[in-house]
Amino acid sequence: MTGDDSLASDSIASDYRFVLEHDVSMLEIALAAVSFEDCSLDDSVPLDRASVAYDCWLEALEALHPGHRFRGFGLSDAELADDGLLERLLLTVLFDGGSCRSVIRSVVAVVNGYRRNHRG
């Protein structure tokens, strides 16, 4: 690994910690909700809605924190194959009768909680 690779790796690790540890602000949720509302998800399966909600939040983070590459922290294939995570994500989008803001907040809380518990 070159010095530049090491710096990039440190930056990604720092971004990841930031995503895991910071509180979700109302502004982030509001920005993510605007993007989420623009998505045509009426006929999509609930898990797609959860994944898109999380991606919208990551996009809002990038807009609010220039220089960070948060979009690279979307749900991984391994996470999407974890039944425990999927069950919790599905509960957020199936039984949350609130606005898309509350859906995004719930999805972010589930994913970040899962990642905190599975860091290794």
Side-chain angles (χ1 to χ4, degrees), residues 10 25 27 39 55 58 65 74-75 84 86 89 100 108 114 118:
D10 289 346
S25 75
L27 179 57
C39 293
D55 288 344
L58 293 174
H65 304 281
L75 296 170
L86 296 185
L89 285 174
C100 60
V108 168
Y114 173 87
H118 289 84

Side-chain angles (χ1 to χ4, degrees), residues 24-32 60 64 105:
V24 180
S25 75
M26 292 304 293
L27 179 57
E28 291 167 6
I29 291 298
L31 288 174
L64 291 169
R105 183 176 289 281

